[in-house]
Amino acid sequence: MKLKRTLLASAMASLALFPFASSAMEKADLMITDAMVLTMNQDKTVYESGTVVVKDNKIIAVGDASLEKQYQAKQVLDVDGDIVMPGLINTHTHVSMTVFRSLADDVPDRLHRYIFPLEKKLVSRDMVRIGANLGNVEMVKGGVTTYADMYYFEDEVAKTVDKIGMRAILGETVIKFPVADAANAEEGIKYALNFIEEYKDHPRITPAFAPHAPYTNTTEILQKISKLSLELDVPVMIHLAESHREEEKIAERSDGLSPVQYMDSIGALNKNLVGAHMILVDDHDIELVKKSDMGVAHNMSANIKSAKGVSPALKMYDENVRIGLGTDGPMSGNTLSTIDEFNQVAKVHKLVNKDRAAMPPIKVIDMATMGAAKALHMEDKIGSLEAGKLADIIVIDTKAPNMVPVYNPYSALVYSANSGNVRHSIVDGKIIMQDRDMLTVDEDKIRQEALDFTKVVRETVIESGEVVQ
Amino acid sequence: MKLKRTLLASAMASLALFPFASSAMEKADLMITDAMVLTMNQDKTVYESGTVVVKDNKIIAVGDASLEKQYQAKQVLDVDGDIVMPGLINTHTHVSMTVFRSLADDVPDRLHRYIFPLEKKLVSRDMVRIGANLGNVEMVKGGVTTYADMYYFEDEVAKTVDKIGMRAILGETVIKFPVADAANAEEGIKYALNFIEEYKDHPRITPAFAPHAPYTNTTEILQKISKLSLELDVPVMIHLAESHREEEKIAERSDGLSPVQYMDSIGALNKNLVGAHMILVDDHDIELVKKSDMGVAHNMSANIKSAKGVSPALKMYDENVRIGLGTDGPMSGNTLSTIDEFNQVAKVHKLVNKDRAAMPPIKVIDMATMGAAKALHMEDKIGSLEAGKLADIIVIDTKAPNMVPVYNPYSALVYSANSGNVRHSIVDGKIIMQDRDMLTVDEDKIRQEALDFTKVVRETVIESGEVVQ
């Protein structure tokens, strides 16, 4: 605790009231100075010695050092040349599953043989809260400021997101078999509707439907959700074109259609949909995706861990599909910040395209920020550092030895950075992590709660005959 | 600086003189307690609540908590359940190239079009020292305690290794065209011989020959180096079976032999050889590699970044080839600790083998420790935590949110850990990094020297017509 307080004190020392403010200066709340600003705007403008100005929860100016003379800010955060960029957006996860991380990672047919039975025994309101708290801390410390979640008891996840101060799209699962918070899909829809009603006006939380996958729901349920989502104007998140099992089941149901074609044929492919994975898609599928204006979550690291293959994500990106990076859940990814996956995303696409110039760093960073914002249809609010956007901003340490030197900031971020290099995370104009210290939640307490819960998991995994390892 | 001193003070507080020592107790220098010890011995023994005891520069006991009653140590390091494992061994890098990191990462035919011209202009004693100092710090902070280097002015690298307290095999480059420290291959051999003479008795440094590659040296030179290495009993490190350009050049020279077959045919494939990359090897080549008892450095992350392909490293490992992980140089990898590549190594082998059970975490950790020690023919000295071995030990933080929980320590290390999770690094019985603070070198000064040098690099890259970006 002594260390922690000292870190805080040291961090606070770099925040100072702006000393000599002229009356002609515009008022602001926070000004980040001496920053290598990657705006990720349309022109990919970079300010080598730049400034970002925040008022309330919005960015009001981004530019060079001359902005320091135009604004009088309550707080000045001099970042000494560090990289300042939009907060990362994780387009797909199951945050509460952190409490299961490192269990049975390489079991064949794992979802059906291991994860579903495990969840049947252990998913509860408590588990969801405990796991989400841990995952939220991991994401904030890894520079993720917004995430899209699909799980159960999403109202519990919402409380944790509200508390820590992140931004999230939270999708309540709908699935045809009995789960912890619903006996069937109809009950899942009811749960989701209540959740949507409760959170529809929250400034940082967007409630959503999350039908698990096409093959784990009936056509009728998928159509009902699609209709409701358009009426209520809420997102629908789904695992789509992920596995051969899914392909086979959907082909049986639909006279040989691919999962994407099937979703289109039942009228469920539309602008409110976010499809996670999208590995098994061909050119015709991609055409349908573009036409529908749906979003895509690309989870490279989880996809190759399960040997499912590599999504044609680069092709989709190049064809202007709304596509961004996601981590998948912590039993899949296994970490929750896309910064730890930049490297893989770049390199595996180079490998499969047999071209070292394929998937250059700037595209990876775009898919982690603006691309991800587009995938979630939030590009008017987040994803770049531009005046008028919400102030979701991260600062990356450029002094860590792995980050020295920075001739090209995109290369440094993609080929060298890891989540430990994130110094500060700002969401909605509020600093929620500073010099790696969490300011809105008690990290030690959250970790201890998670560790306590692992005792229950250990007992269950060992006792249960259903959970095969 | 205030922060740094406080961190040190806090760290020192966890070291205490063992208070009530009975005279029957054996004396030791350092005892690591309350550790999740991964020994990486033959049986892969794990002590959930274990102890490692060090005297002078060696491990004298590894076991459960009962060892605490048998030894009286000058220092006790209570690691509160963290993972304790053998120091990582990086089997292949070019450490001094840190000063060029993030330059022109994705240029086609980069070695010949970019790197060789850049090196011709900028490699010097100063550059080698400055870059090595930075890379050493990065490696120690990433848990690497031993590395194998191939570059120029290796006597300068040796001084930096000696100072920081790491262990290294340092290979002086021999190449047929003029380079910074030699006009031709014969001069390179002379330089290497002087270096070998100077360092042959150093306790932590093994001097070596580093012929750049088969196609950048003549047959005569390769044979001469092979003969000298056997006479002097020093290693030979070489880039081997790395590229199609190499394959073509060697096939022309040798009537269609593969690079491995060619090296065998000229008598240069033997137990002193360490081949880096070994991407383009077939079953026959692997047979020759096994028969020769040579070592192999597997550099997954660099190999896929350049789209060169994936080495059949898993097959070689399964067939008991001496094979370990390497990062390649910081213009290639781009980071220098294999811990940041564990994830990729596991997952890319799963992808190419279309099998999620392929390359399980325990094999990755084995290739990073004992496998790497075997590749460098140092398995009697390092690579595992066993009584009698040199005390090269690292401690991994299990409290960072990305590392919680640890049901399976190998999974946690491979799928979750990054270099920022390394807490302490111990080499030759001496703690050289503690709670991420460097104890033997001045990290700030080293970073500043590197940053100063980047100004020279920027000027050269911009001015030069030869260096194509």
Side-chain angles (χ1 to χ4, degrees):
Chain A
M1 285 313 290
K2 195 177 171 186
L3 172 62
K4 205 166 186 181
R5 279 198 302 273
T6 309
L7 270 165
L8 248 176
S10 156
M12 297 305 287
S14 70
L15 299 174
L17 284 175
F18 207 69
F20 304 106
S22 130
S23 60
M25 290 168 99
E26 256 187 81
K27 305 264 184 202
D29 291 316
L30 173 67
M31 180 150 62
I32 305 172
T33 62
D34 195 9
M36 186 185 292
V37 181
L38 313 187
T39 63
M40 300 313 293
N41 66 10
Q42 184 70 31
D43 300 331
K44 308 285 182 288
T45 309
V46 172
Y47 297 98
E48 291 269 342
S49 182
T51 307
V52 180
V53 188
V54 173
K55 189 170 184 182
D56 299 324
N57 65 340
K58 285 193 175 153
I59 296 166
I60 57 169
V62 180
D64 61 27
S66 68
L67 286 178
E68 290 183 45
K69 295 178 192 144
Q70 300 173 41
Y71 290 89
Q72 176 191 0
K74 289 181 194 158
Q75 280 193 343
V76 176
L77 194 59
D78 179 336
V79 298
D80 190 24
D82 282 346
I83 292 171
V84 170
M85 61 183 289
L88 305 177
I89 300 165
N90 182 349
T91 60
H92 180 63
T93 191
H94 314 285
V95 63
S96 300
M97 294 176 82
T98 48
V99 293
F100 301 141
R101 174 160 52 197
S102 91
L103 274 179
D105 275 298
D106 300 319
V107 172
D109 194 20
R110 185 160 170 255
L111 178 65
H112 295 267
R113 285 184 56 206
Y114 194 92
I115 296 178
F116 281 156
L118 183 77
E119 287 181 330
K120 196 172 171 186
K121 289 193 164 278
L122 286 173
V123 173
S124 67
R125 278 198 174 272
D126 270 357
M127 173 264 165
V128 166
R129 173 181 51 79
I130 292 165
N133 272 325
L134 176 62
N136 290 345
V137 171
E138 183 187 349
M139 283 193 271
V140 171
K141 293 190 105 172
V144 173
T145 52
T146 296
Y147 69 97
D149 197 60
M150 292 173 67
Y151 213 57
Y152 309 99
F153 299 111
E154 285 289 337
D155 48 326
E156 285 296 324
V157 182
K159 287 180 209 163
T160 70
V161 170
D162 185 52
K163 173 84 169 70
I164 200 169
M166 297 178 80
R167 204 178 300 286
I169 298 185
L170 304 178
E172 172 63 27
T173 293
V174 180
I175 195 162
K176 66 184 175 188
F177 53 73
V179 289
D181 62 356
N184 52 46
E186 285 291 355
E187 279 196 18
I189 290 176
K190 265 186 219 154
Y191 199 111
L193 286 171
N194 285 334
F195 172 53
I196 290 164
E197 177 60 26
E198 191 182 350
Y199 277 90
K200 68 180 185 327
D201 299 321
H202 193 286
R204 286 178 284 102
I205 294 168
T206 306
F209 291 102
H212 172 268
Y215 72 106
T216 53
N217 279 291
T218 62
T219 300
E220 293 66 34
I221 288 291
L222 293 168
Q223 288 176 318
K224 184 170 178 177
I225 290 170
S226 187
K227 189 162 167 282
L228 283 167
S229 83
L230 292 171
E231 282 168 19
L232 300 166
D233 196 26
V234 294
V236 176
M237 298 191 286
I238 192 165
H239 297 104
L240 189 59
E242 181 184 6
S243 71
H244 291 295
R245 177 198 283 253
E246 175 195 350
E247 269 194 332
E248 285 160 23
K249 297 257 178 199
I250 293 301
E252 279 169 26
R253 181 191 292 188
S254 66
D255 244 353
L257 295 181
S258 74
V260 170
Q261 288 166 357
Y262 161 74
M263 288 292 282
D264 181 58
S265 75
I266 67 168
L269 213 66
N270 59 49
K271 70 172 178 59
N272 284 17
L273 194 69
V274 182
H277 305 306
M278 305 286 281
I279 301 164
L280 305 170
V281 292
D282 63 15
D283 287 356
H284 178 49
D285 291 330
I286 294 175
E287 278 307 309
L288 293 175
V289 166
K290 278 167 68 176
K291 219 174 92 184
S292 73
D293 207 30
M294 68 176 282
V296 177
H298 175 40
N299 308 285
M300 165 71 84
S301 190
N303 296 162
I304 64 175
K305 180 176 167 221
S306 58
K308 289 194 181 106
V310 177
S311 162
L314 178 55
K315 186 185 171 83
M316 287 192 263
Y317 174 88
D318 286 340
E319 295 191 7
N320 294 313
V321 167
R322 294 174 171 272
I323 185 166
L325 300 185
T327 60
D328 205 351
M331 280 192 91
S332 306
N334 296 359
T335 46
L336 294 179
S337 172
T338 53
I339 199 170
D340 288 319
E341 305 189 358
F342 289 171
N343 208 339
Q344 281 178 61
V345 169
K347 291 176 181 176
V348 174
H349 282 290
K350 291 171 193 301
L351 176 70
V352 298
N353 285 283
K354 294 185 171 54
D355 176 8
R356 80 175 297 152
M359 195 60 101
I362 198 167
K363 289 191 185 179
V364 178
I365 301 300
D366 198 35
M367 286 177 73
T369 55
M370 269 308 279
K374 287 175 189 164
L376 303 179
H377 281 270
M378 293 177 79
E379 72 270 24
D380 292 340
K381 293 179 187 164
I382 57 173
S384 62
L385 302 183
E386 296 179 85
K389 283 213 167 174
L390 294 167
D392 293 3
I393 305 164
I394 59 173
V395 182
I396 312 292
D397 180 11
T398 56
K399 284 106 193 166
N402 60 307
M403 291 293 287
V404 177
V406 180
Y407 297 106
N408 178 328
Y410 302 110
S411 277
L413 285 169
V414 169
Y415 298 131
S416 298
N418 63 59
S419 51
N421 298 129
V422 182
R423 271 186 76 190
H424 314 307
S425 291
I426 297 164
V427 187
D428 222 39
K430 192 172 166 188
I431 305 175
I432 64 175
M433 180 190 70
Q434 185 160 14
D435 280 312
R436 302 206 59 70
D437 203 24
M438 299 298 305
L439 303 186
T440 51
V441 295
D442 182 339
E443 181 178 351
D444 291 341
K445 192 179 154 202
I446 283 171
R447 179 176 56 249
Q448 196 51 55
E449 270 200 311
L451 291 174
D452 290 345
F453 189 79
T454 64
K455 291 169 197 157
V456 183
V457 178
R458 279 177 215 272
E459 283 162 19
T460 309
V461 169
I462 292 163
E463 283 172 15
S464 164
E466 279 176 71
V467 178
V468 187
Q469 183 143 17
Chain B
M1 283 314 290
K2 194 177 173 187
L3 172 62
K4 206 165 185 182
R5 278 199 302 272
T6 310
L7 270 165
L8 248 177
S10 154
M12 296 306 287
S14 70
L15 299 174
L17 285 175
F18 207 69
F20 304 106
S22 128
S23 60
M25 291 169 98
E26 256 186 80
K27 305 264 185 204
D29 291 316
L30 174 66
M31 181 151 60
I32 305 172
T33 62
D34 195 10
M36 184 184 292
V37 180
L38 312 187
T39 64
M40 300 314 292
N41 65 11
Q42 185 68 32
D43 300 330
K44 307 287 182 288
T45 309
V46 173
Y47 297 98
E48 291 268 342
S49 181
T51 308
V52 180
V53 188
V54 174
K55 190 171 183 183
D56 298 326
N57 66 337
K58 284 191 176 154
I59 296 166
I60 56 169
V62 180
D64 61 27
S66 68
L67 287 178
E68 291 183 45
K69 293 176 193 145
Q70 299 173 41
Y71 291 89
Q72 178 192 358
K74 288 181 195 159
Q75 279 193 343
V76 176
L77 195 58
D78 179 336
V79 297
D80 190 23
D82 282 346
I83 292 171
V84 170
M85 61 184 288
L88 305 177
I89 300 164
N90 182 350
T91 60
H92 180 64
T93 192
H94 314 286
V95 63
S96 300
M97 294 175 82
T98 49
V99 293
F100 300 142
R101 175 159 51 198
S102 90
L103 273 179
D105 275 298
D106 300 320
V107 172
D109 193 20
R110 185 160 170 256
L111 178 65
H112 296 266
R113 284 184 57 208
Y114 195 91
I115 296 180
F116 282 157
L118 184 75
E119 287 181 330
K120 195 172 171 187
K121 289 192 163 278
L122 286 172
V123 173
S124 67
R125 278 199 174 272
D126 269 357
M127 173 264 163
V128 165
R129 173 181 50 78
I130 292 166
N133 272 326
L134 176 62
N136 290 344
V137 170
E138 183 187 348
M139 283 193 268
V140 170
K141 294 191 105 169
V144 174
T145 53
T146 296
Y147 69 96
D149 197 60
M150 292 173 66
Y151 213 56
Y152 308 99
F153 298 110
E154 284 291 337
D155 48 326
E156 285 297 324
V157 182
K159 287 180 211 162
T160 70
V161 170
D162 185 54
K163 173 83 170 69
I164 199 169
M166 297 178 79
R167 204 178 298 287
I169 298 185
L170 304 178
E172 173 64 28
T173 292
V174 180
I175 195 161
K176 66 184 175 188
F177 52 74
V179 289
D181 62 358
N184 52 47
E186 286 291 354
E187 279 197 17
I189 290 177
K190 267 187 218 155
Y191 199 111
L193 286 171
N194 285 334
F195 172 53
I196 290 164
E197 177 60 25
E198 191 182 350
Y199 276 91
K200 68 179 184 326
D201 299 320
H202 193 286
R204 287 178 284 101
I205 293 168
T206 306
F209 291 102
H212 173 267
Y215 72 105
T216 53
N217 280 291
T218 62
T219 301
E220 293 64 37
I221 288 290
L222 293 168
Q223 287 175 318
K224 182 170 179 177
I225 290 170
S226 187
K227 189 161 168 282
L228 283 168
S229 83
L230 293 170
E231 282 168 21
L232 298 167
D233 195 26
V234 294
V236 176
M237 300 191 286
I238 192 165
H239 297 104
L240 189 59
E242 181 184 4
S243 71
H244 292 295
R245 177 198 284 253
E246 174 195 352
E247 269 194 331
E248 284 159 25
K249 296 253 178 201
I250 293 300
E252 277 169 28
R253 180 191 294 188
S254 67
D255 244 354
L257 296 180
S258 74
V260 169
Q261 289 167 357
Y262 161 74
M263 288 292 282
D264 180 58
S265 75
I266 65 166
L269 214 67
N270 60 47
K271 69 172 180 56
N272 285 19
L273 194 70
V274 182
H277 306 305
M278 304 286 280
I279 300 164
L280 305 169
V281 293
D282 62 16
D283 288 355
H284 178 50
D285 291 331
I286 294 176
E287 278 309 308
L288 293 175
V289 166
K290 278 167 70 175
K291 220 174 94 184
S292 74
D293 207 30
M294 68 176 281
V296 176
H298 174 41
N299 308 285
M300 167 70 84
S301 190
N303 295 162
I304 65 175
K305 180 176 167 221
S306 57
K308 289 195 182 105
V310 177
S311 162
L314 178 55
K315 185 184 173 83
M316 287 193 262
Y317 174 88
D318 287 340
E319 295 192 8
N320 294 312
V321 167
R322 294 173 172 273
I323 184 166
L325 301 185
T327 60
D328 205 350
M331 280 192 91
S332 307
N334 294 4
T335 47
L336 294 178
S337 172
T338 53
I339 199 168
D340 287 319
E341 304 188 357
F342 289 172
N343 207 341
Q344 281 178 61
V345 170
K347 291 176 182 177
V348 174
H349 282 290
K350 292 171 192 299
L351 175 70
V352 297
N353 285 282
K354 295 185 170 58
D355 176 9
R356 80 175 298 153
M359 195 59 101
I362 198 166
K363 289 191 185 180
V364 178
I365 301 300
D366 199 34
M367 286 179 73
T369 55
M370 269 308 280
K374 286 176 189 165
L376 303 179
H377 281 270
M378 294 178 80
E379 71 270 24
D380 293 339
K381 294 180 187 162
I382 56 174
S384 62
L385 302 183
E386 296 179 85
K389 283 212 165 175
L390 293 167
D392 293 3
I393 305 164
I394 59 173
V395 181
I396 311 292
D397 181 10
T398 57
K399 284 107 194 164
N402 61 307
M403 291 293 287
V404 178
V406 180
Y407 297 107
N408 178 328
Y410 302 110
S411 277
L413 285 168
V414 169
Y415 297 131
S416 298
N418 63 59
S419 51
N421 298 130
V422 182
R423 270 186 77 190
H424 312 309
S425 292
I426 298 165
V427 186
D428 222 38
K430 192 171 167 188
I431 305 175
I432 65 174
M433 180 191 69
Q434 186 160 12
D435 281 310
R436 303 205 59 69
D437 204 23
M438 299 299 304
L439 303 187
T440 50
V441 296
D442 182 338
E443 182 178 351
D444 290 342
K445 192 179 153 203
I446 284 171
R447 179 177 56 249
Q448 196 50 55
E449 269 201 311
L451 291 174
D452 290 345
F453 189 80
T454 63
K455 290 170 197 158
V456 182
V457 177
R458 280 177 214 273
E459 282 161 19
T460 308
V461 169
I462 292 161
E463 284 171 14
S464 164
E466 281 176 70
V467 179
V468 187
Q469 182 143 20

